[in-house]
Amino acid sequence: MSKYEEIYAVVRKIPKGKIATYGSVAKLLIANGIRVTPRLVGRALHKNPYPKIIPCHRVVDRDGRIAQKYAFGGWKEQRKRLIEEGVRFKDAMHVDLVQYMWVISVIK
């Protein structure tokens, strides 16, 4: 499986109402022997071929900030999708990482 496919496999598992960071996705893959960086995670999600199947809107930066240039409709669309799933925002651009962070230790 390519690194992008490995990233997509992890992101597909993020449940509705939860978020992950680019770094947490990278760390999970690294722990499972796949070398990726948070930047590569972001690049892969920006090129997501199946945004209705791979919920890239659930991935935010390390501060809980949504993507200014979200590839599938801009930051307002990412915000809207998260709100529809029950995620609340601390301000216009930041989710509460403590409350909504998805935690998983294995992917396979």
Side-chain angles (χ1 to χ4, degrees):
M1 213 182 313
S2 75
K3 288 183 180 184
Y4 277 24
E5 290 169 334
E6 296 282 1
I7 291 166
Y8 298 148
V10 170
V11 173
R12 233 182 320 229
K13 295 176 189 230
I14 304 169
K16 287 182 181 180
K18 293 292 184 180
I19 55 96
T21 64
Y22 301 106
S24 68
V25 172
K27 284 179 185 175
L28 180 59
L29 288 165
I30 290 166
N32 284 278
I34 301 153
R35 292 184 50 111
V36 298
T37 63
R39 187 173 297 239
L40 182 63
V41 172
R43 200 172 310 136
L45 295 180
H46 190 74
K47 295 180 178 189
N48 181 356
Y50 308 106
K52 291 184 179 180
I53 298 169
I54 303 164
C56 58
H57 66 279
R58 296 181 187 144
V59 183
V60 299
D61 81 1
R62 66 178 170 239
D63 297 321
R65 185 169 49 95
I66 58 177
Q68 185 77 21
K69 295 181 181 179
Y70 178 67
F72 306 99
W75 69 270
K76 289 180 182 176
E77 179 62 23
Q78 184 179 12
R79 179 181 164 87
K80 178 180 150 260
R81 289 181 185 191
L82 289 170
I83 289 171
E84 287 172 351
E85 293 182 359
V87 175
R88 292 199 172 152
F89 280 71
K90 296 188 324 184
D91 61 36
M93 298 294 287
H94 294 84
V95 298
D96 183 345
L97 289 176
V98 174
Q99 186 171 358
Y100 297 105
M101 187 70 164
W102 173 63
V103 180
I104 187 168
S105 57
V106 293
I107 60 171
K108 300 193 182 210

